Amino acid sequence: MAGTVTVPGANVPSTPLLKDELDIVIPTIRNLDFLEMWRPFFQPYHLIIVQDGDPTKTIKVPEGFDYELYNRNDINRILGPKASCISFKDSACRCFGYMVSKKKYIYTIDDDCFVAKDPSGKDINALEQHIKNLLSPSTPFFFNTLYDPYREGADFVRGYPFSLREGAHTAVSHGLWLNIPDYDAPTQLVKPKERNERYVDAVMTIPNGTLFPMCGMNLAFDRDLIGPAMYFGLMGDGQPIGRYDDMWAGWCVKVICDHLSLGVKTGLPYIWHSKASNPFVNLKKEYKGIFWQEDIIPFFQNVTIPKECDTVQKCYIYLSGQVKEKLGKIDPYFVKLADSLVFTSPSK
């Protein structure tokens, strides 16, 4: 049952950035012991925990955190007939947290992600870096070879147009991972022992017109700018595909951001991804997607949103119609997915 628990905490920053403007959304099926490591960074913020799987199971949250916890029974009660649009037995259930949040900003993280260290050995405050990314402009229309020109110690290089130096509003901050990389099942099977040990101290804007594979395990976004499009596609129990939920959201978001002249950043911050999922289980979830993406990606590369679509909602509804018309020919699943896009698009 949904509930709010607030326990006073100690040893937390006195003036955390965006304390009253940001929610942390966590999908889970287990006790949230991992929050102990994140306590110095997360404790000042409000958490929205979306419990997947068996709603009768009790999820334990460490003391000292301000949180709401929703399980499947709560989702069914709150959304009624539309609850079927929220994935079951899949981390895509996190987008329910985006829907119930009333804050301007969202940070979402998986429960197998821990605090990483930078090359000097210092703990990385991933949330703080995401906030800095979101609060500074992006440069989607012209690539700066020193990457993010708004970071301390950087600037626009010679030849960068002065007319573009104000940048664009940043809608999405996409963080990366040390240790276990976010590979698909075939790559996991070929490289079972590969680990990402490279720390690249860079934040860059993904250029306008370029798609990317968005990962939801270390992600922040501005709900006011792009919230209605941040729907993690219908996956998991009863669906023919899995592990494409965040990438589907990323393709929708990027096309809409390009149309509305908004920015998407990737790079810092890093988290420590601790657990490799089973590649054989992943292959079963992914195999249709591996084939389908050869049609899905060209669809997003070629879709043109009309000029009269001047809000995220209008863009998303238009995109839903195109998904049904163009991708529905591939499999009836895309017709169902297109309907879910419209049902889950809130006012913000």
Side-chain angles (χ1 to χ4, degrees), residues 148-176:
D148 188 348
Y150 306 102
R151 288 187 70 194
E152 185 177 352
D155 211 321
F156 293 98
V157 297
R158 181 170 56 91
Y160 199 100
F162 283 88
S163 60
L164 294 177
R165 293 191 182 194
E166 287 188 4
H169 293 296
T170 302
V172 180
S173 172
H174 179 256
L176 299 176

PDB file of all heavy atoms in Angstrom, residues 148-176:
ATOM      1  N   ASP A 148      31.602  19.918 -23.227  1.00  0.00           N
ATOM      2  CA  ASP A 148      30.674  20.853 -22.601  1.00  0.00           C
ATOM      3  C   ASP A 148      31.372  22.185 -22.327  1.00  0.00           C
ATOM      4  O   ASP A 148      32.226  22.274 -21.434  1.00  0.00           O
ATOM      5  CB  ASP A 148      30.154  20.258 -21.295  1.00  0.00           C
ATOM      6  CG  ASP A 148      29.038  21.084 -20.673  1.00  0.00           C
ATOM      7  OD1 ASP A 148      28.813  22.228 -21.130  1.00  0.00           O
ATOM      8  OD2 ASP A 148      28.380  20.591 -19.741  1.00  0.00           O
ATOM      9  N   PRO A 149      31.046  23.235 -23.068  1.00  0.00           N
ATOM     10  CA  PRO A 149      31.740  24.516 -22.890  1.00  0.00           C
ATOM     11  C   PRO A 149      31.364  25.243 -21.614  1.00  0.00           C
ATOM     12  O   PRO A 149      32.010  26.230 -21.247  1.00  0.00           O
ATOM     13  CB  PRO A 149      31.295  25.318 -24.116  1.00  0.00           C
ATOM     14  CG  PRO A 149      29.946  24.776 -24.436  1.00  0.00           C
ATOM     15  CD  PRO A 149      30.004  23.308 -24.109  1.00  0.00           C
ATOM     16  N   TYR A 150      30.315  24.772 -20.937  1.00  0.00           N
ATOM     17  CA  TYR A 150      29.832  25.450 -19.744  1.00  0.00           C
ATOM     18  C   TYR A 150      30.468  24.898 -18.466  1.00  0.00           C
ATOM     19  O   TYR A 150      30.245  25.434 -17.383  1.00  0.00           O
ATOM     20  CB  TYR A 150      28.306  25.345 -19.653  1.00  0.00           C
ATOM     21  CG  TYR A 150      27.620  25.836 -20.899  1.00  0.00           C
ATOM     22  CD1 TYR A 150      27.113  24.943 -21.842  1.00  0.00           C
ATOM     23  CD2 TYR A 150      27.500  27.200 -21.167  1.00  0.00           C
ATOM     24  CE1 TYR A 150      26.491  25.383 -23.000  1.00  0.00           C
ATOM     25  CE2 TYR A 150      26.887  27.656 -22.328  1.00  0.00           C
ATOM     26  CZ  TYR A 150      26.394  26.749 -23.233  1.00  0.00           C
ATOM     27  OH  TYR A 150      25.786  27.185 -24.388  1.00  0.00           O
ATOM     28  N   ARG A 151      31.261  23.832 -18.587  1.00  0.00           N
ATOM     29  CA  ARG A 151      31.957  23.294 -17.417  1.00  0.00           C
ATOM     30  C   ARG A 151      33.133  24.191 -17.042  1.00  0.00           C
ATOM     31  O   ARG A 151      33.730  24.865 -17.894  1.00  0.00           O
ATOM     32  CB  ARG A 151      32.492  21.888 -17.697  1.00  0.00           C
ATOM     33  CG  ARG A 151      31.436  20.806 -17.781  1.00  0.00           C
ATOM     34  CD  ARG A 151      32.069  19.437 -17.891  1.00  0.00           C
ATOM     35  NE  ARG A 151      32.723  19.048 -16.645  1.00  0.00           N
ATOM     36  CZ  ARG A 151      33.567  18.026 -16.554  1.00  0.00           C
ATOM     37  NH1 ARG A 151      33.884  17.313 -17.624  1.00  0.00           N
ATOM     38  NH2 ARG A 151      34.101  17.719 -15.393  1.00  0.00           N
ATOM     39  N   GLU A 152      33.467  24.173 -15.763  1.00  0.00           N
ATOM     40  CA  GLU A 152      34.610  24.952 -15.294  1.00  0.00           C
ATOM     41  C   GLU A 152      35.878  24.485 -16.011  1.00  0.00           C
ATOM     42  O   GLU A 152      36.140  23.294 -16.149  1.00  0.00           O
ATOM     43  CB  GLU A 152      34.764  24.773 -13.780  1.00  0.00           C
ATOM     44  CG  GLU A 152      35.852  25.642 -13.170  1.00  0.00           C
ATOM     45  CD  GLU A 152      35.940  25.506 -11.666  1.00  0.00           C
ATOM     46  OE1 GLU A 152      35.044  24.850 -11.070  1.00  0.00           O
ATOM     47  OE2 GLU A 152      36.904  26.044 -11.087  1.00  0.00           O
ATOM     48  N   GLY A 153      36.652  25.447 -16.515  1.00  0.00           N
ATOM     49  CA  GLY A 153      37.894  25.119 -17.204  1.00  0.00           C
ATOM     50  C   GLY A 153      37.730  24.880 -18.688  1.00  0.00           C
ATOM     51  O   GLY A 153      38.697  24.551 -19.378  1.00  0.00           O
ATOM     52  N   ALA A 154      36.501  25.025 -19.205  1.00  0.00           N
ATOM     53  CA  ALA A 154      36.256  24.819 -20.638  1.00  0.00           C
ATOM     54  C   ALA A 154      35.559  26.042 -21.205  1.00  0.00           C
ATOM     55  O   ALA A 154      35.099  26.918 -20.487  1.00  0.00           O
ATOM     56  CB  ALA A 154      35.409  23.575 -20.871  1.00  0.00           C
ATOM     57  N   ASP A 155      35.488  26.102 -22.527  1.00  0.00           N
ATOM     58  CA  ASP A 155      34.792  27.204 -23.191  1.00  0.00           C
ATOM     59  C   ASP A 155      34.534  26.792 -24.630  1.00  0.00           C
ATOM     60  O   ASP A 155      34.855  25.675 -25.048  1.00  0.00           O
ATOM     61  CB  ASP A 155      35.612  28.496 -23.135  1.00  0.00           C
ATOM     62  CG  ASP A 155      34.727  29.741 -23.089  1.00  0.00           C
ATOM     63  OD1 ASP A 155      33.687  29.748 -23.790  1.00  0.00           O
ATOM     64  OD2 ASP A 155      35.073  30.680 -22.360  1.00  0.00           O
ATOM     65  N   PHE A 156      33.960  27.678 -25.397  1.00  0.00           N
ATOM     66  CA  PHE A 156      33.751  27.442 -26.817  1.00  0.00           C
ATOM     67  C   PHE A 156      35.082  27.601 -27.550  1.00  0.00           C
ATOM     68  O   PHE A 156      35.847  28.531 -27.281  1.00  0.00           O
ATOM     69  CB  PHE A 156      32.729  28.433 -27.380  1.00  0.00           C
ATOM     70  CG  PHE A 156      31.349  28.234 -26.830  1.00  0.00           C
ATOM     71  CD1 PHE A 156      30.888  29.016 -25.781  1.00  0.00           C
ATOM     72  CD2 PHE A 156      30.502  27.269 -27.353  1.00  0.00           C
ATOM     73  CE1 PHE A 156      29.609  28.842 -25.265  1.00  0.00           C
ATOM     74  CE2 PHE A 156      29.226  27.083 -26.848  1.00  0.00           C
ATOM     75  CZ  PHE A 156      28.776  27.867 -25.802  1.00  0.00           C
ATOM     76  N   VAL A 157      35.346  26.705 -28.469  1.00  0.00           N
ATOM     77  CA  VAL A 157      36.599  26.757 -29.206  1.00  0.00           C
ATOM     78  C   VAL A 157      36.494  27.758 -30.360  1.00  0.00           C
ATOM     79  O   VAL A 157      35.402  28.199 -30.732  1.00  0.00           O
ATOM     80  CB  VAL A 157      36.969  25.357 -29.765  1.00  0.00           C
ATOM     81  CG1 VAL A 157      37.184  24.374 -28.639  1.00  0.00           C
ATOM     82  CG2 VAL A 157      35.883  24.840 -30.713  1.00  0.00           C
ATOM     83  N   ARG A 158      37.643  28.099 -30.887  1.00  0.00           N
ATOM     84  CA  ARG A 158      37.713  29.016 -32.030  1.00  0.00           C
ATOM     85  C   ARG A 158      36.890  28.451 -33.183  1.00  0.00           C
ATOM     86  O   ARG A 158      36.988  27.285 -33.525  1.00  0.00           O
ATOM     87  CB  ARG A 158      39.189  29.157 -32.443  1.00  0.00           C
ATOM     88  CG  ARG A 158      39.450  30.095 -33.623  1.00  0.00           C
ATOM     89  CD  ARG A 158      40.956  30.318 -33.763  1.00  0.00           C
ATOM     90  NE  ARG A 158      41.657  29.035 -33.900  1.00  0.00           N
ATOM     91  CZ  ARG A 158      41.921  28.443 -35.074  1.00  0.00           C
ATOM     92  NH1 ARG A 158      41.541  29.016 -36.203  1.00  0.00           N
ATOM     93  NH2 ARG A 158      42.571  27.304 -35.114  1.00  0.00           N
ATOM     94  N   GLY A 159      36.066  29.301 -33.771  1.00  0.00           N
ATOM     95  CA  GLY A 159      35.218  28.876 -34.887  1.00  0.00           C
ATOM     96  C   GLY A 159      33.807  28.516 -34.493  1.00  0.00           C
ATOM     97  O   GLY A 159      32.964  28.257 -35.363  1.00  0.00           O
ATOM     98  N   TYR A 160      33.526  28.480 -33.177  1.00  0.00           N
ATOM     99  CA  TYR A 160      32.165  28.171 -32.750  1.00  0.00           C
ATOM    100  C   TYR A 160      31.297  29.414 -32.934  1.00  0.00           C
ATOM    101  O   TYR A 160      31.646  30.493 -32.442  1.00  0.00           O
ATOM    102  CB  TYR A 160      32.144  27.722 -31.286  1.00  0.00           C
ATOM    103  CG  TYR A 160      30.894  26.959 -30.916  1.00  0.00           C
ATOM    104  CD1 TYR A 160      30.898  25.580 -30.852  1.00  0.00           C
ATOM    105  CD2 TYR A 160      29.693  27.627 -30.662  1.00  0.00           C
ATOM    106  CE1 TYR A 160      29.744  24.873 -30.523  1.00  0.00           C
ATOM    107  CE2 TYR A 160      28.540  26.938 -30.345  1.00  0.00           C
ATOM    108  CZ  TYR A 160      28.569  25.557 -30.275  1.00  0.00           C
ATOM    109  OH  TYR A 160      27.429  24.860 -29.967  1.00  0.00           O
ATOM    110  N   PRO A 161      30.179  29.310 -33.622  1.00  0.00           N
ATOM    111  CA  PRO A 161      29.357  30.499 -33.906  1.00  0.00           C
ATOM    112  C   PRO A 161      28.893  31.207 -32.628  1.00  0.00           C
ATOM    113  O   PRO A 161      28.343  30.577 -31.722  1.00  0.00           O
ATOM    114  CB  PRO A 161      28.157  29.920 -34.668  1.00  0.00           C
ATOM    115  CG  PRO A 161      28.633  28.622 -35.215  1.00  0.00           C
ATOM    116  CD  PRO A 161      29.608  28.089 -34.223  1.00  0.00           C
ATOM    117  N   PHE A 162      29.104  32.505 -32.583  1.00  0.00           N
ATOM    118  CA  PHE A 162      28.668  33.281 -31.428  1.00  0.00           C
ATOM    119  C   PHE A 162      27.152  33.286 -31.299  1.00  0.00           C
ATOM    120  O   PHE A 162      26.605  33.380 -30.199  1.00  0.00           O
ATOM    121  CB  PHE A 162      29.209  34.714 -31.529  1.00  0.00           C
ATOM    122  CG  PHE A 162      30.666  34.818 -31.178  1.00  0.00           C
ATOM    123  CD1 PHE A 162      31.636  34.638 -32.152  1.00  0.00           C
ATOM    124  CD2 PHE A 162      31.066  35.069 -29.876  1.00  0.00           C
ATOM    125  CE1 PHE A 162      32.978  34.723 -31.836  1.00  0.00           C
ATOM    126  CE2 PHE A 162      32.417  35.151 -29.543  1.00  0.00           C
ATOM    127  CZ  PHE A 162      33.381  34.981 -30.523  1.00  0.00           C
ATOM    128  N   SER A 163      26.460  33.149 -32.415  1.00  0.00           N
ATOM    129  CA  SER A 163      24.998  33.166 -32.384  1.00  0.00           C
ATOM    130  C   SER A 163      24.418  31.931 -31.710  1.00  0.00           C
ATOM    131  O   SER A 163      23.237  31.909 -31.352  1.00  0.00           O
ATOM    132  CB  SER A 163      24.450  33.276 -33.810  1.00  0.00           C
ATOM    133  OG  SER A 163      24.884  32.176 -34.600  1.00  0.00           O
ATOM    134  N   LEU A 164      25.229  30.884 -31.517  1.00  0.00           N
ATOM    135  CA  LEU A 164      24.743  29.641 -30.911  1.00  0.00           C
ATOM    136  C   LEU A 164      25.278  29.421 -29.501  1.00  0.00           C
ATOM    137  O   LEU A 164      25.025  28.386 -28.887  1.00  0.00           O
ATOM    138  CB  LEU A 164      25.135  28.440 -31.786  1.00  0.00           C
ATOM    139  CG  LEU A 164      24.492  28.366 -33.168  1.00  0.00           C
ATOM    140  CD1 LEU A 164      25.047  27.165 -33.941  1.00  0.00           C
ATOM    141  CD2 LEU A 164      22.972  28.259 -33.060  1.00  0.00           C
ATOM    142  N   ARG A 165      26.024  30.401 -28.974  1.00  0.00           N
ATOM    143  CA  ARG A 165      26.702  30.177 -27.697  1.00  0.00           C
ATOM    144  C   ARG A 165      25.790  30.263 -26.477  1.00  0.00           C
ATOM    145  O   ARG A 165      26.205  29.885 -25.379  1.00  0.00           O
ATOM    146  CB  ARG A 165      27.890  31.141 -27.565  1.00  0.00           C
ATOM    147  CG  ARG A 165      28.981  30.836 -28.579  1.00  0.00           C
ATOM    148  CD  ARG A 165      30.270  31.577 -28.308  1.00  0.00           C
ATOM    149  NE  ARG A 165      31.257  31.269 -29.349  1.00  0.00           N
ATOM    150  CZ  ARG A 165      32.557  31.551 -29.249  1.00  0.00           C
ATOM    151  NH1 ARG A 165      33.027  32.150 -28.171  1.00  0.00           N
ATOM    152  NH2 ARG A 165      33.374  31.242 -30.236  1.00  0.00           N
ATOM    153  N   GLU A 166      24.586  30.737 -26.652  1.00  0.00           N
ATOM    154  CA  GLU A 166      23.645  30.699 -25.528  1.00  0.00           C
ATOM    155  C   GLU A 166      23.146  29.278 -25.279  1.00  0.00           C
ATOM    156  O   GLU A 166      22.685  28.957 -24.189  1.00  0.00           O
ATOM    157  CB  GLU A 166      22.455  31.618 -25.783  1.00  0.00           C
ATOM    158  CG  GLU A 166      22.781  33.100 -25.663  1.00  0.00           C
ATOM    159  CD  GLU A 166      21.544  33.970 -25.728  1.00  0.00           C
ATOM    160  OE1 GLU A 166      20.417  33.405 -25.795  1.00  0.00           O
ATOM    161  OE2 GLU A 166      21.688  35.201 -25.717  1.00  0.00           O
ATOM    162  N   GLY A 167      23.252  28.430 -26.297  1.00  0.00           N
ATOM    163  CA  GLY A 167      22.852  27.043 -26.144  1.00  0.00           C
ATOM    164  C   GLY A 167      21.351  26.847 -26.098  1.00  0.00           C
ATOM    165  O   GLY A 167      20.561  27.755 -26.379  1.00  0.00           O
ATOM    166  N   ALA A 168      20.963  25.627 -25.728  1.00  0.00           N
ATOM    167  CA  ALA A 168      19.548  25.247 -25.637  1.00  0.00           C
ATOM    168  C   ALA A 168      19.274  24.690 -24.247  1.00  0.00           C
ATOM    169  O   ALA A 168      20.186  24.239 -23.557  1.00  0.00           O
ATOM    170  CB  ALA A 168      19.232  24.188 -26.701  1.00  0.00           C
ATOM    171  N   HIS A 169      18.011  24.722 -23.849  1.00  0.00           N
ATOM    172  CA  HIS A 169      17.644  24.135 -22.555  1.00  0.00           C
ATOM    173  C   HIS A 169      17.952  22.636 -22.561  1.00  0.00           C
ATOM    174  O   HIS A 169      17.711  21.942 -23.554  1.00  0.00           O
ATOM    175  CB  HIS A 169      16.159  24.343 -22.277  1.00  0.00           C
ATOM    176  CG  HIS A 169      15.779  25.777 -22.065  1.00  0.00           C
ATOM    177  ND1 HIS A 169      16.244  26.528 -21.004  1.00  0.00           N
ATOM    178  CD2 HIS A 169      14.982  26.603 -22.781  1.00  0.00           C
ATOM    179  CE1 HIS A 169      15.753  27.745 -21.068  1.00  0.00           C
ATOM    180  NE2 HIS A 169      14.985  27.830 -22.148  1.00  0.00           N
ATOM    181  N   THR A 170      18.451  22.140 -21.452  1.00  0.00           N
ATOM    182  CA  THR A 170      18.782  20.718 -21.333  1.00  0.00           C
ATOM    183  C   THR A 170      17.600  19.965 -20.750  1.00  0.00           C
ATOM    184  O   THR A 170      17.134  20.268 -19.650  1.00  0.00           O
ATOM    185  CB  THR A 170      20.019  20.514 -20.440  1.00  0.00           C
ATOM    186  OG1 THR A 170      21.118  21.238 -21.002  1.00  0.00           O
ATOM    187  CG2 THR A 170      20.371  19.043 -20.344  1.00  0.00           C
ATOM    188  N   ALA A 171      17.128  18.966 -21.482  1.00  0.00           N
ATOM    189  CA  ALA A 171      15.973  18.175 -21.043  1.00  0.00           C
ATOM    190  C   ALA A 171      16.379  16.880 -20.360  1.00  0.00           C
ATOM    191  O   ALA A 171      15.677  16.398 -19.467  1.00  0.00           O
ATOM    192  CB  ALA A 171      15.065  17.867 -22.240  1.00  0.00           C
ATOM    193  N   VAL A 172      17.526  16.306 -20.788  1.00  0.00           N
ATOM    194  CA  VAL A 172      17.930  14.977 -20.308  1.00  0.00           C
ATOM    195  C   VAL A 172      19.416  14.959 -19.994  1.00  0.00           C
ATOM    196  O   VAL A 172      20.234  15.498 -20.755  1.00  0.00           O
ATOM    197  CB  VAL A 172      17.623  13.888 -21.367  1.00  0.00           C
ATOM    198  CG1 VAL A 172      18.050  12.513 -20.863  1.00  0.00           C
ATOM    199  CG2 VAL A 172      16.135  13.885 -21.729  1.00  0.00           C
ATOM    200  N   SER A 173      19.761  14.314 -18.880  1.00  0.00           N
ATOM    201  CA  SER A 173      21.152  14.038 -18.520  1.00  0.00           C
ATOM    202  C   SER A 173      21.311  12.532 -18.398  1.00  0.00           C
ATOM    203  O   SER A 173      20.728  11.906 -17.506  1.00  0.00           O
ATOM    204  CB  SER A 173      21.522  14.728 -17.207  1.00  0.00           C
ATOM    205  OG  SER A 173      22.815  14.327 -16.758  1.00  0.00           O
ATOM    206  N   HIS A 174      22.103  11.958 -19.292  1.00  0.00           N
ATOM    207  CA  HIS A 174      22.274  10.500 -19.386  1.00  0.00           C
ATOM    208  C   HIS A 174      23.641  10.121 -18.834  1.00  0.00           C
ATOM    209  O   HIS A 174      24.665  10.432 -19.431  1.00  0.00           O
ATOM    210  CB  HIS A 174      22.143  10.080 -20.857  1.00  0.00           C
ATOM    211  CG  HIS A 174      22.330   8.613 -21.098  1.00  0.00           C
ATOM    212  ND1 HIS A 174      23.495   8.099 -21.631  1.00  0.00           N
ATOM    213  CD2 HIS A 174      21.504   7.567 -20.908  1.00  0.00           C
ATOM    214  CE1 HIS A 174      23.376   6.789 -21.752  1.00  0.00           C
ATOM    215  NE2 HIS A 174      22.167   6.453 -21.318  1.00  0.00           N
ATOM    216  N   GLY A 175      23.647   9.469 -17.666  1.00  0.00           N
ATOM    217  CA  GLY A 175      24.904   9.080 -17.038  1.00  0.00           C
ATOM    218  C   GLY A 175      25.373   7.705 -17.471  1.00  0.00           C
ATOM    219  O   GLY A 175      24.623   6.924 -18.061  1.00  0.00           O
ATOM    220  N   LEU A 176      26.618   7.387 -17.133  1.00  0.00           N
ATOM    221  CA  LEU A 176      27.251   6.131 -17.561  1.00  0.00           C
ATOM    222  C   LEU A 176      27.600   5.257 -16.359  1.00  0.00           C
ATOM    223  O   LEU A 176      27.207   5.529 -15.242  1.00  0.00           O
ATOM    224  CB  LEU A 176      28.483   6.451 -18.409  1.00  0.00           C
ATOM    225  CG  LEU A 176      28.192   7.246 -19.691  1.00  0.00           C
ATOM    226  CD1 LEU A 176      29.487   7.601 -20.414  1.00  0.00           C
ATOM    227  CD2 LEU A 176      27.251   6.476 -20.611  1.00  0.00           C
TER     228      LEU A 176
END
